[in-house]
C-alpha cells in the first residue's frame, strides 16, 4: 500500500504541522514580517468586550462581518480558565481537528479517497500561523461539514450553509448547485438565525455599510494595476483603511468598480451554468460547483486576504474526497497559490507594500495561479455537466445504500 493511502500517514503529517502552527501563534517560532496574532490579541478581544455589553461594534469600521460572527468572537468565553487569545487558538485547533476527522471519515466510504484529507493536512500549514489567528477556519469547518453532509442530507446542507453565510457570507455559495430542499431550509434557518441576532443586540446589520466602503486592497488582482503604476509616476498611496492595507488615490474607485463588475460577470456565468446543468450529475458536482464559485469570487474580489486561501483549501479538500472529481488540477493550483501566499504575507509583506520587484513578482505568481485555477475550474465544471457527456445514470430517488444525485 502506498504511504499516500494510509490514514496513519495523514494523521502524523497533520499532527506534526499543527504543532508548528501552534508554536507560531504562541510565538515560539517567529516568522519574519508583521505579527499575525495581533488581530486576536487586539481586534478580536476588543470586539468581544463590546459584544459582551450587549451591542455590536457600531463605531468600529473594521467590524465588517455578518451578525453570527459574534459567536466566533465570543467563543473563547467557553474556556474561562484560559486567557482570550489562548482559548481562541485552542478552539481553532479543535475546529481544524474536526475537519480532518470529517474528511478521513468520508474517505472510508465507497468511491471516496484520502486525497481530501491530504489536501487539508498539507494545505492549511502552507499559510503559516495566520490560519490559527483568524476565525475563518471555524467558518471553513462549517462549510466542509455542510458539503459532506449535503450529498445525503440536503436539508442539513441548507441549514449549515445558512449558518456559515451568517458567519462570513461566502458559504452561501455552497448552495449554487443544491436542490430546492436545501434552499428552502437555508432561507428558513437563515431568517431564524438573523432574527435571533437582531433581537439579541442592536447593530446586527451595521457590517453592510462598513463592507461597502472598502476599496482596492494591495494583495488583490486589481491592486496589481497600482503596484505597476507606482513605477510610472502614479501619485496615490498605500494606507491601512477599513481594516486592510489598501491603495488610495486617483483611479482607485474605477478599479474597484471594475472588480465588482468582474464579480457580477462571474455570478452571471454561474447562473448560466446552473440553469444549463439542471438534471442528474456526478456525486462530486455539489462540491465542484461550490469550489468553482468561491474560487471565482475570491479571485475577482477587491480584497484577497491570506485567510481567503483557507476557504479554497477546505472546499478543494471536499472535492478531492471524490475519486472522480474534475477539480484535481485546479486544487493543485490552489495549493501552489497557498504556498506563495505565505511568502507574500507575512514573510515579505514589506515588499508588497513597497511595490518593489519582489512584491510585484509574488503577487503576479499568486494571483496568476488563482486566475488560472478559476478559469480551469469553470471549464471543467462546464464540461463535467455537459448534456452531451455520457454519464452513467444516477438514481433520482435516493435510497439508504446509494448516494443521491443533485437535481434541481
Amino acid at each position: 500500500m502506498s504511504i499516500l493511502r494510509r490514514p496513519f500517514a495523514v494523521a502524523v503529517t497533520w499532527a506534526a504541522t499543527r504543532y508548528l502552527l501552534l508554536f507560531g501563534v504562541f510565538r515560539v517560532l517567529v516568522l519574519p514580517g508583521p505579527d499575525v496574532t495581533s488581530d486576536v490579541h487586539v481586534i478580536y478581544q476588543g470586539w468581544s468586550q463590546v459584544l459582551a455589553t450587549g451591542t455590536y461594534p457600531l463605531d468600529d469600521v473594521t467590524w465588517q462581518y455578518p451578525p453570527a460572527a459574534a459567536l466566533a468572537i465570543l467563543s473563547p468565553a467557553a474556556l474561562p480558565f484560559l486567557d482570550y487569545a489562548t482559548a481562541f487558538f485552542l478552539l481553532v485547533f479543535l475546529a481544524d481537528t474536526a475537519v480532518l476527522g470529517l474528511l478521513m471519515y468520508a474517505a472510508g466510504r465507497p468511491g471516496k479517497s484520502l486525497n481530501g484529507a491530504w489536501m487539508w493536512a498539507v494545505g492549511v500549514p502552507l499559510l503559516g500561523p495566520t490560519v490559527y489567528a483568524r476565525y475563518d477556519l471555524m467558518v471553513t469547518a462549517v462549510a466542509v461539514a455542510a458539503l459532506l453532509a449535503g450529498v445525503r442530507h440536503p436539508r442539513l446542507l441548507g441549514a449549515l450553509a445558512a449558518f456559515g453565510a451568517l458567519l462570513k457570507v461566502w458559504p452561501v455559495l455552497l448552495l449554487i448547485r443544491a436542490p430546492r430542499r436545501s434552499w428552502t431550509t437555508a432561507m428558513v434557518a437563515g431568517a431564524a438565525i438573523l432574527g435571533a441576532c437582531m433581537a439579541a443586540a442592536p447593530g446586527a446589520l451595521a457590517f453592510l455599510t462598513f463592507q461597502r466602503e472598502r476599496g482596492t486592497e494591495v494583495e488583490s488582482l486589481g491592486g496589481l494595476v497600482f503596484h505597476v503604476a507606482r513605477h510610472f509616476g502614479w501619485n496615490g498611496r498605500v494606507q491601512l483603511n477599513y481594516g486592510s492595507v489598501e491603495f488610495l488615490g486617483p483611479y482607485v474607485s474605477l478599479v474597484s468598480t471594475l472588480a465588482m463588475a468582474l464579480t457580477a460577470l462571474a455570478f452571471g456565468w454561474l447562473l448560466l451554468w446552473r440553469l444549463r446543468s439542471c438534471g442528474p450529475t456526478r456525486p462530486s458536482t455539489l462540491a465542484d460547483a461550490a469550489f468553482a464559485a468561491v474560487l471565482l469570487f475570491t479571485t475577482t474580489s477587491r480584497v484577497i486576504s491570506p485567510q481567503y486561501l483557507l476557504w479554497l483549501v477546505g472546499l478543494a479538500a471536499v472535492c478531492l474526497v471524490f475519486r472522480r472529481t474534475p477539480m484535481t488540477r485546479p486544487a493543485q493550483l490552489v495549493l501552489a497559490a497557498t504556498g506563495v501566499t505565505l511568502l507574500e504575507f507575512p514573510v515579505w509583506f514589506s515588499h508588497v507594500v513597497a511595490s518593489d520587484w519582489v512584491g510585484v513578482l509574488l503577487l503576479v505568481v499568486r494571483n496568476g495561479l488563482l486566475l488560472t485555477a478559476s478559469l480551469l475550474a469553470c471549464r471543467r465544471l462546464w464540461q463535467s455537466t455537459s448534456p452531451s457527456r455520457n454519464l452513467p445514470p444516477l438514481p433520482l430517488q435516493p435510497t439508504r445504500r446509494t448516494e443521491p444525485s443533485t437535481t434541481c
Side-chain angles (χ1 to χ4, degrees):
M1 181 187 292
S2 169
I3 191 172
L4 296 179
R5 297 179 183 178
R6 295 177 180 176
F8 180 73
V10 179
V12 169
T13 302
W14 178 88
T17 54
R18 271 44 178 193
Y19 274 116
L20 292 176
L21 290 179
L22 288 171
F23 284 163
V25 291
F26 286 115
R27 308 289 289 172
V28 176
L29 297 176
V30 180
L31 289 176
D35 179 10
V36 299
T37 66
S38 61
D39 277 26
V40 177
H41 288 285
V42 179
I43 300 176
Y44 286 10
Q45 188 164 2
W47 286 341
S48 71
Q49 293 169 352
V50 175
L51 289 165
T53 66
T55 182
Y56 284 89
L58 299 176
D59 299 324
D60 189 347
V61 296
T62 62
W63 175 260
Q64 299 168 9
Y65 307 110
L71 298 176
I73 301 302
L74 290 170
S75 62
L79 303 174
F81 48 88
L82 298 174
D83 65 83
Y84 182 89
T86 301
F88 183 87
F89 299 146
L90 179 58
L91 290 171
V92 174
F93 170 78
L94 292 177
D96 185 0
T97 308
V99 174
L100 180 72
L102 288 170
L103 293 169
M104 293 187 71
Y105 175 78
R109 303 184 69 86
K112 303 301 193 300
S113 166
L114 270 176
N115 290 340
W118 275 114
M119 179 75 184
W120 184 255
V122 175
V124 170
L126 286 180
L127 281 175
T130 301
V131 295
Y132 277 10
R134 305 291 187 272
Y135 82 91
D136 294 79
L137 199 149
M138 298 176 178
V139 184
T140 304
V142 174
V144 169
L147 287 176
L148 291 175
V151 175
R152 290 175 175 269
H153 306 286
R155 290 188 176 87
L156 183 56
L157 164 64
L160 289 174
F163 178 53
L166 287 170
L167 282 171
K168 206 161 188 182
V169 180
W170 66 266
V172 72
L173 296 172
L174 305 181
L175 299 170
I176 191 66
R177 190 56 180 86
R180 290 191 182 95
R181 287 175 293 171
S182 299
W183 281 93
T184 301
T185 304
M187 288 188 286
V188 173
I193 298 170
L194 180 59
C197 291
M198 294 177 68
L205 300 181
F207 77 100
L208 294 173
T209 300
F210 299 152
Q211 183 66 239
R212 186 177 64 243
E213 300 299 327
R214 298 191 78 165
T216 297
E217 190 245 3
V218 295
E219 297 167 89
S220 66
L221 188 64
L224 278 170
V225 173
F226 300 108
H227 282 295
V228 174
R230 291 176 84 182
H231 293 273
F232 294 92
W234 180 71
N235 60 355
R237 65 188 187 279
V238 172
Q239 182 176 311
L240 183 64
N241 191 53
Y242 285 94
S244 64
V245 181
E246 299 179 354
F247 285 109
L248 299 176
Y251 307 110
V252 172
S253 61
L254 174 61
V255 171
S256 296
T257 301
L258 290 175
M260 288 188 286
L262 279 177
T263 301
L265 286 174
F267 179 80
W269 183 88
L270 287 168
L271 181 60
L272 175 63
W273 170 81
R274 179 65 177 83
L275 294 173
R276 174 185 172 279
S277 67
C278 192
T281 57
R282 65 174 72 215
S284 69
T285 300
L286 183 69
D288 296 338
F291 174 60
V294 175
L295 186 52
L296 276 174
F297 279 79
T298 299
T299 304
T300 60
S301 175
R302 293 172 293 169
V303 178
I304 304 181
S305 296
Q307 61 269 25
Y308 290 13
L309 276 292
L310 182 62
W311 314 343
L312 300 176
V313 168
L315 297 183
V318 178
C319 292
L320 294 180
V321 164
F322 299 90
R323 292 186 184 279
R324 296 184 60 199
T325 178
M327 295 297 159
T328 300
R329 185 55 58 84
Q332 292 169 344
L333 292 172
V334 165
L335 196 64
T338 303
V340 177
T341 299
L342 177 62
L343 297 177
E344 175 261 308
F345 183 90
V347 176
W348 287 331
F349 190 61
S350 60
H351 293 281
V352 173
V353 173
S355 299
D356 63 22
W357 71 270
V358 174
V360 173
L361 179 61
L362 285 171
L363 289 178
V364 167
V365 173
R366 197 279 302 273
N367 292 346
L369 286 167
L370 289 179
L371 181 60
T372 303
S374 299
L375 297 174
L376 185 57
C378 290
R379 179 169 177 260
R380 293 196 170 185
L381 182 64
W382 187 277
Q383 291 176 338
S384 69
T385 56
S386 172
S388 62
R389 290 181 67 253
N390 295 318
L391 284 173
L394 295 175
L396 296 180
Q397 296 298 326
T399 65
R400 290 181 179 271
R401 295 187 178 181
T402 59
E403 293 182 348
S405 61
T406 308
T407 55
C408 301

